[in-house]
Amino acid sequence: MFKKIIFIVVVLAIVVGAFLKFSHISYESHFNKGLEYFKSGDYKKAIAEYKKAEKKTVPSDESLQYALANAYAQIKDYDKAITAYETVIKYYPNDERAYKLLASVHTLKATEQRDIEGLKKALEYIERGYELAPSKMSESDMNLLKTLREQLQK
């Protein structure tokens, strides 16, 4: 009886291990395909591949969330880009890059929709990115910060 239990446990461990290995390979395959599509400018196909990869990983996968957000931003699906960046912030609240990119997407969306509240959100996010890592603010980040402050003072 004891040998049967050991045998069943070993077989289950092998099956689970094989499943996990296949799942990881499948994730990498879809993620890498998504990157290729993104680089070639086919953002919708990139998103489709990233969504397949997403089913094989956890929501806190930072690289995948950034990839999704960037692809959504390219096709001007700003709400989904915002959601992906917010997911990064949920799991990595000190990731200044996510705040800066979130500010950029809010700025794009608010500019298209002429939405002052969206610009205020963008300012909040870029300021948070600055608070977290002032030395990592690029010239374009600083320009965005300055422009948003000026626009909202009017």
Side-chain angles (χ1 to χ4, degrees), residues 123 143-154:
L123 180 59
N143 287 336
L144 178 59
L145 178 60
K146 180 183 172 191
T147 303
L148 286 169
R149 284 179 175 163
E150 289 171 356
Q151 291 294 315
L152 291 170
Q153 284 179 354
K154 292 180 180 181

Side-chain angles (χ1 to χ4, degrees), residues 108-134:
L108 291 168
K109 180 181 176 187
T111 301
E112 278 189 8
Q113 297 177 355
R114 300 187 185 279
D115 175 25
I116 295 296
E117 292 305 312
L119 291 177
K120 288 178 183 177
K121 281 184 182 179
L123 180 59
E124 287 175 30
Y125 287 122
I126 195 75
E127 286 177 336
R128 180 67 179 135
Y130 181 78
E131 288 170 11
L132 288 169

Side-chain angles (χ1 to χ4, degrees), residues 47-97:
I47 290 166
E49 289 300 325
Y50 294 147
K51 296 302 281 178
K52 290 176 188 174
E54 189 175 42
K55 292 177 183 175
K56 308 288 184 184
T57 190
V58 294
S60 62
D61 186 323
E62 185 179 22
S63 297
L64 180 60
Q65 292 302 324
Y66 270 115
L68 275 167
N70 294 337
Y72 282 128
Q74 289 296 320
I75 63 169
K76 298 184 178 191
D77 191 338
Y78 299 129
D79 290 330
K80 287 183 181 174
I82 287 167
T83 298
Y85 286 132
E86 287 174 341
T87 299
V88 173
I89 289 169
K90 176 182 174 182
Y91 292 101
Y92 306 95
N94 294 321
D95 186 339
E96 90 288 338
R97 186 173 61 138

Side-chain angles (χ1 to χ4, degrees), residues 13-26:
I14 291 170
V15 169
V16 168
F19 173 76
L20 291 175
K21 184 174 181 171
F22 174 75
S23 183
H24 183 70
I25 291 169
S26 179

